[in-house]
Structure formats: C-alpha cells, structure tokens
Amino acid sequence: MNDIDPAKRFPREATRDLHAPAAGERPDALNQTARQVASQLGNETITPVMVSGTLRILEFAVLMLSGLAVYWFFVGPFELVNWPYYVVIAAGAAIAVAFLEFSDCYQVAALMRPFATFSRIFLVWAGTFALMALTAFMLKVGADFSRLMFGFWFVTGFASSFTLRLAVARLIRRWARNGRMERRAVIVGGGKAAENLIRAIERQPYNDIRICGIFDDRDDTRSPPIVAGYPKLGTISELIEFARIARIDLLIVSLPITAEQRVLQLLKKLWVLPVDIRLSAQSSSLQFRPRAYSYIGSVPLLDIFDKPINGWDSVAKRAFDIVFSLICILLFSPVMIAAAVAIKLDSKGPILFKQKRHGFNNEVIEVYKFRSMYADQSDPTAKKTVTRNDPRVTRVGRFIRKTSIDELPQFFNALFGSLSLVGPRPHAVAAQSHNLLYAEVVDGYFARHKVKPGVTGWAQINGWRGEMDTDEKIRMRTEFDLYYIENWSLLFDLRILLLTPIRLLNTENAY
C-alpha cells in the first residue's frame, strides 16, 4: 500500500534542525517539522476494517438482488405464496458471504487482486450452490424450485459479485495512492532495532501501514536523527502532543521485550492515547500464546493496548447516539421549552451557556447547557467550581442544576457528534481542584479522553456527580470512567441510559 519512497516524504533538509526549538517555543513543544507532519495527518482515513465490513454488506445485497431479479424474470411477480424462494435466496447470499469470509476473500491483499482470487471466489459460489442442492435433496423439496432460475442466478450472481470486487479493487488502489486508506504508524524507539523493524514492514506486500516518523528520548549519538529514511520527530513526551494533532492509528514500540523497565516507563506515558499500541516481537525469542500476537504481513507484534470503541463498534455507537438523542429531544422538548421560558423570565442574559471542555483525544469542544448563573457572574473557564448555596446561581438555576435539566441541551451535542450519549463526562478545560488541574491530581487522567465524552456516564449513575471539591472525588470519577472504557458495549450504554433518570433522583451532590 505504501507506494511512496519514505525518503521523499521527509527530505533530509527538513530534518537538519529537527530538535532545535524555534524562537519563543516551549522546550517540550513540537518542533516545526513535527507540527507540520502532524497537521498533514489531521484528516480522517478509511480503515481496512470498514472497507471489508462494508463490502460484506454490499456483496450480500448484490447477491440477493441478483437472485430476486432472476426470480422475477423466470418465475413471475413477487407473491407471498412463493416465500420459500425468498428464504432460499437470502440464505444463499448469506452462506456465500460466510464462505468468502472463511476463505480470507475480505482481506486487503485479496481485495486488491481480484483476478488472483478469481478461482477461490468461483469455488465459494459453486460450493454455496452445492450446499443448497444437497439441502434440497435431503429435504426432498428440489422439485418445488425452478432449476433454470437457479442456473441463471449462479451466472448472474457470480458476475455481479466479481464486478463489485473489481470496482472495490480500483477504489482501494486510488485510496492507497492519495493516503485515504492507510493505518498511520509511529515507531517508538530508534537505532538499529527501529531500522530492522521498518525494513521488515516495508518488505511486506500489500500492507496498509504508513510510517509517519520516529520518537525517541535518546540523543542523536544513541538514536540517529534519520532511521531507514524516516526522521526522528521528537521525544516521547512530544509524541503525546503529536498524536493528539495527527490521526495516528498505531504506535509500535521497537525496544526489546527484555528491556522491561524501559518498556514499562514508555507504556505508562503512552496508554492515555486512543490508539493501538504494539510491541515489536520480531527479534524476541520469547513465545506467547498465538492470541497475544497481531501481524503486519509476517511481522509479529505483541498486542499491548487496543483503541477502544473502534471500527464497526464506533459505527454502532454513533447510530445509537443519533437514534436515542432524537428520542430524548422529542421526549424532553416540553421540559426544555419550559426551562427556556423560566430562565428568560428569571434573569437577564442568554438562555444557553456555552463552555469549552475537553473532548475526544483531548480536543477542545463547545458544550451547551441551560444558563444557571447570573450572566455577569458566569465562569466559562470553571476555575471556581459551583458550591452549595453559591450566590452566582439564580433561583431557576438552583432547580435546573439539582434536577440536571440544565444538561438537556447536550442531547443536541450528542446528535451533532461532539458528545456521545454515554461516556465520561467532559470537564472544563481549566477545571481545578485546590489550584491544581485535574490532570495534575490524577495520574493517567487524560485516558478518560480515549473515547468521546458523554451526556451521562457510569460515574454519574454511581454517585460521582456534582462538585469535584476533593482529590478523592476526581480519582473515583476517573476510576469509574476508565472502567466504562474498558468494558464498553451497546448493552452497557443502554443500561446506563435507562438508569440515569432513576439515579438522578438522588440530588445530594447536585447544586
């Protein structure tokens, strides 16, 4: 997939002063080259998982539609009495897709070379018909179906499926050329180990990895500024900021497994990022269970951390958010209208209050709430948390905060995508506890941002809502948030959503 010479991606002239900070730049800030590379990688990519998953759906639809078209031509109009035909056509299309999956026909390498897999696809389609014929023979129902119709479906179905795969192969090649379909990887650790790893990855045919650079804490004497044509863009601390700006999918640690202490130090810094983290096992003599490994071609990697809610899980969660956000907006629209009128009558100022908060991957998002404070005393930065009997809160504000009605406009955030319905609650950018930012209180606090924040969350329905006036409350909220991230499922989301109105009846910590 990587058809661009890596040495041409990052000219040596651009890496001469790679680690020299510019005038006025913080010592730990990204250097100009690293920031430029990160900004170029800010656009979304199409993942192979999404492509193969979409193709499964399309291929099932194409095979089924071709069968229904042949049925209409040879048997006649669609009638309820002929329902066995429809069942058989749907079952045949589903069986074919399942066989294609077992035959690895949805792997990127297979999709890019449809003619190389022509015989395999033909055998799968023939095997599907053989299975259907055997089933009809065993059930003694073969005479109830048109042989001519199924004969033509065999031809048209195969032709339709293969034509679809030709179109997909062309699209994948185009996406590979323009960088739309790739997994963006960063190598952590330099030197000879990194060079060997990069060379091994580049030798793999049809892999979808694009190496974006190298990050290493060691100086240039121990870790050269350019390894196998790729520049060293900065230190591990700078990698955290780089990964937040760029759309990085994969971090590969090239240190040997035997360097246990060093590996643990790196992972402690990197695990807060919403990316897959792998440890190179290329030169390791240690053997783990097969399930512990993933591969880039034949290059073995140890799976350390996986990006949460990824691929089709993210599609399912987004669909969940859209459907239930619309339901909640319709359900609570009378309450929201009444709240808006009450706020307007109670005090001067806008109805809505907008606040900058940390979102997914530590990005800054704007969250909507009903205004609960006097307009001239509002605190968008949230440096001073709201306390019991806070004089800044209006009469209406006390009620809507206690009942969480002030949060209802966030259903629109969830509908438009800056929030999810369920997830860690977003905190204000400058939120503090005893003059310390939350990130300074809790080690690994930013791991909460590995997923999109939510209107409600696991911590909130377990009592950790309201004022975060002690370090212990911040730690407990973070602990519950991380539990949610590690154990996410749609059923878990639904459970939290249904429990939220019940648990909100406890207003002890809301003021």
Side-chain angles (χ1 to χ4, degrees):
M1 300 267 312
N2 294 330
D3 53 356
I4 303 174
D5 182 357
K8 294 179 181 178
R9 287 204 190 109
F10 306 103
R12 291 179 183 270
E13 290 79 2
T15 62
R16 284 175 181 167
D17 300 318
L18 205 57
H19 301 296
E25 187 180 275
R26 299 192 325 269
D28 61 339
L30 286 178
N31 59 72
Q32 185 177 355
T33 302
R35 189 169 293 278
Q36 182 180 357
V37 172
S39 64
Q40 293 172 353
L41 301 172
N43 60 307
E44 293 279 1
T45 58
I46 303 170
T47 65
V49 172
M50 296 298 292
V51 171
S52 60
T54 303
L55 180 58
R56 290 179 182 92
I57 297 171
L58 288 176
E59 197 148 35
F60 171 80
V62 163
L63 291 173
M64 188 169 176
L65 289 173
S66 66
L68 291 174
V70 171
Y71 163 87
W72 179 83
F73 186 81
F74 284 98
V75 179
F78 299 109
E79 296 177 349
L80 188 59
V81 70
N82 288 328
W83 64 267
Y85 272 99
Y86 316 144
V87 172
V88 170
I89 290 170
I95 292 169
V97 170
F99 283 175
L100 288 167
E101 172 68 29
F102 293 140
S103 304
D104 291 332
C105 290
Y106 291 109
Q107 300 295 321
V108 171
L111 296 180
M112 291 187 68
R113 301 183 299 162
F115 287 104
T117 57
F118 181 92
S119 58
R120 199 189 317 172
I121 297 168
F122 182 83
L123 287 174
V124 163
W125 190 228
T128 301
F129 273 73
L131 181 60
M132 288 193 295
L134 179 61
T135 303
F137 173 78
M138 296 296 292
L139 297 177
K140 299 181 180 180
V141 294
D144 297 337
F145 296 93
S146 167
R147 292 174 175 80
L148 185 62
M149 176 240 143
F150 278 95
F152 268 86
W153 185 30
F154 181 85
V155 175
T156 58
F158 179 77
S160 301
S161 174
F162 195 73
T163 301
L164 173 64
R165 285 175 171 268
L166 289 175
V168 169
R170 186 171 181 179
L171 275 175
I172 290 176
R173 290 193 183 94
R174 182 189 303 171
W175 290 334
R177 284 194 299 271
N178 61 26
R180 286 283 290 141
M181 183 178 171
E182 61 188 7
R183 281 189 294 165
R184 295 163 177 172
V186 164
I187 306 298
V188 180
K192 193 64 178 177
E195 181 178 0
N196 292 337
L197 175 63
I198 292 170
R199 298 299 187 200
I201 291 174
E202 289 181 337
R203 283 196 297 268
Q204 305 308 308
Y206 305 107
N207 81 76
D208 59 332
I209 298 295
R210 175 183 177 182
I211 299 172
C212 303
I214 298 168
F215 286 81
D216 197 348
D217 282 340
R218 295 174 295 179
D219 58 30
D220 290 352
T221 58
R222 299 180 61 199
S223 176
I226 296 179
V227 177
Y230 295 90
K232 186 170 67 176
L233 296 177
T235 64
I236 305 304
S237 296
E238 292 165 349
L239 169 57
I240 305 296
E241 185 174 353
F242 179 87
R244 296 200 192 287
I245 300 172
R247 299 283 182 174
I248 298 298
D249 302 297
L250 179 64
L251 300 182
I252 307 177
V253 179
S254 66
L255 298 176
I257 300 175
T258 50
E260 180 181 349
Q261 194 61 35
R262 178 65 178 138
V263 170
L264 289 175
Q265 288 175 351
L266 286 176
L267 296 179
K268 187 177 180 180
K269 292 182 178 180
L270 299 175
W271 76 282
V272 301
L273 293 172
V275 297
D276 293 330
I277 300 180
R278 304 289 183 257
L279 181 61
S280 174
Q282 186 186 11
S283 59
S284 174
S285 58
L286 295 174
Q287 293 296 319
F288 297 87
R289 292 183 306 168
R291 289 184 181 180
Y293 293 94
S294 58
Y295 292 86
I296 299 174
S298 60
V299 178
L301 305 172
L302 273 173
D303 296 346
I304 306 300
F305 294 111
D306 289 325
K307 180 180 179 181
I309 316 180
N310 196 20
W312 283 98
D313 284 344
S314 64
V315 175
K317 186 168 175 63
R318 182 69 188 124
F320 179 95
D321 287 343
I322 292 172
V323 171
F324 282 93
S325 292
L326 288 172
I327 292 172
C328 290
I329 289 170
L330 292 173
L331 192 63
F332 290 104
S333 56
V335 179
M336 287 192 278
I337 292 171
V341 172
I343 291 167
K344 200 66 179 175
L345 294 175
D346 183 53
S347 61
K348 295 180 180 180
I351 294 170
L352 291 179
F353 173 69
K354 301 175 184 178
Q355 189 175 58
K356 301 290 185 183
R357 298 193 179 188
H358 280 126
F360 170 71
N361 200 21
N362 216 33
E363 296 172 351
V364 176
I365 59 173
E366 195 170 62
V367 172
Y368 302 122
K369 296 180 67 175
F370 282 126
R371 181 176 58 83
S372 59
M373 294 184 181
Y374 293 103
D376 58 346
Q377 298 182 50
S378 295
D379 181 18
T381 62
K383 287 186 176 180
K384 182 182 178 183
T385 57
V386 178
T387 58
R388 192 182 299 275
N389 300 319
D390 196 314
R392 298 174 298 167
V393 179
T394 66
R395 290 175 300 172
V396 171
R398 295 188 198 285
F399 176 77
I400 64 175
R401 290 181 70 91
K402 205 166 190 64
T403 56
S404 293
I405 290 174
D406 64 324
E407 309 282 359
L408 293 181
Q410 289 170 29
F411 287 132
F412 290 96
N413 283 108
L415 180 64
F416 298 138
S418 57
L419 291 182
S420 179
L421 267 183
V422 182
R425 285 291 294 150
H427 294 154
V429 173
Q432 296 182 354
S433 172
H434 302 105
N435 296 321
L436 290 175
L437 294 173
Y438 287 174
E440 297 173 303
V441 175
V442 181
D443 189 25
Y445 168 82
F446 283 124
R448 300 173 72 253
H449 303 150
K450 292 167 73 172
V451 300
K452 197 178 292 186
V455 177
T456 184
W458 183 236
Q460 281 62 45
I461 69 167
N462 282 280
W464 301 104
R465 60 187 284 250
E467 183 184 4
M468 293 289 102
D469 55 347
T470 67
D471 293 354
E472 178 64 16
K473 287 183 179 180
I474 301 167
R475 290 191 185 95
M476 290 305 297
R477 180 179 283 191
T478 302
E479 183 178 322
F480 274 84
D481 289 337
L482 296 181
Y483 176 87
Y484 166 79
I485 293 171
E486 293 298 323
N487 295 277
W488 174 85
S489 71
L490 281 181
L491 286 177
F492 195 13
D493 271 6
L494 186 60
R495 176 188 172 191
I496 293 170
L497 195 62
L498 294 177
L499 283 174
T500 295
I502 300 172
R503 299 295 173 85
L504 289 182
L505 293 176
N506 177 10
T507 60
E508 181 183 353
N509 294 326
Y511 37 85

